[in-house]
Amino acid sequence: MKAFFREFKTFASRGNVIDLAVGVMLGSAFSAITNSLINDIVMPFLGIFTSQITFSDLTLTIGGAVIAYGNFIQAVLNFLVMSFVIFCMVKAINRLHRKKEEAPKAPPKPSNEEVLLAEIRDLLKEKQS
């Protein structure tokens, strides 16, 4: 049993797992912000044009079944907004990485061996001439 917990501790303390946990936490917080944006700002604005306050009230009743297609419309809008924002963030991050890579790098300083070999080469050239 001790070996199991030791193995779990090793697994959980890896950088990948911690990064993933942080990403999930930020993702859920970001999801709450996006849901608020859609439900509290975008949908009431769209409700002006559709004479509805929110799409979640839109339903269709067939027999005894109630199809809440308004909730589906809101979920699709949440997905589209979240996807667009994530796309913009990834694009900005990639642009920053490209700028770092494009920065001119100073030529590497020659090692001691290279300096000695260059001196030997120059001495040999002098002897030949």
Side-chain angles (χ1 to χ4, degrees):
M1 193 70 161
K2 260 186 172 178
F4 176 78
F5 285 115
R6 192 177 322 119
E7 187 177 350
F8 178 74
K9 181 181 172 188
T10 303
F11 168 76
S13 64
R14 284 189 199 157
N16 304 13
V17 175
I18 294 171
D19 292 344
L20 180 62
V22 169
V24 168
M25 301 272 294
L26 288 175
S28 66
F30 185 72
S31 177
I33 291 170
T34 305
N35 287 335
S36 177
L37 173 70
I38 294 297
N39 295 333
D40 301 332
I41 296 174
V42 173
M43 293 312 246
F45 182 74
L46 290 177
I48 293 170
F49 301 108
T50 62
S51 300
Q52 298 277 334
I53 294 176
T54 178
F55 280 119
S56 63
D57 296 336
L58 299 176
T59 59
L60 177 66
T61 305
I62 300 176
V66 177
I67 301 171
Y69 68 93
N71 288 335
F72 177 74
I73 292 171
Q74 281 192 266
V76 169
L77 283 173
N78 282 348
F79 172 78
L80 292 174
V81 169
M82 192 174 299
S83 299
F84 178 74
V85 171
I86 289 172
F87 169 76
C88 290
M89 289 173 59
V90 168
K91 192 169 179 161
I93 290 170
N94 286 342
R95 189 177 311 132
L96 288 175
H97 283 291
R98 263 185 271 145
K99 285 183 181 179
K100 286 181 183 176
E101 290 174 2
E102 291 173 0
K105 296 180 180 178
K109 183 179 177 184
S111 66
N112 291 337
E113 290 86 9
E114 291 173 329
V115 171
L116 289 173
L117 287 172
E119 288 175 6
I120 293 170
R121 179 197 62 212
D122 294 341
L123 288 172
L124 287 173
K125 281 184 183 178
E126 286 178 16
K127 282 188 176 184
Q128 289 178 355
S129 37

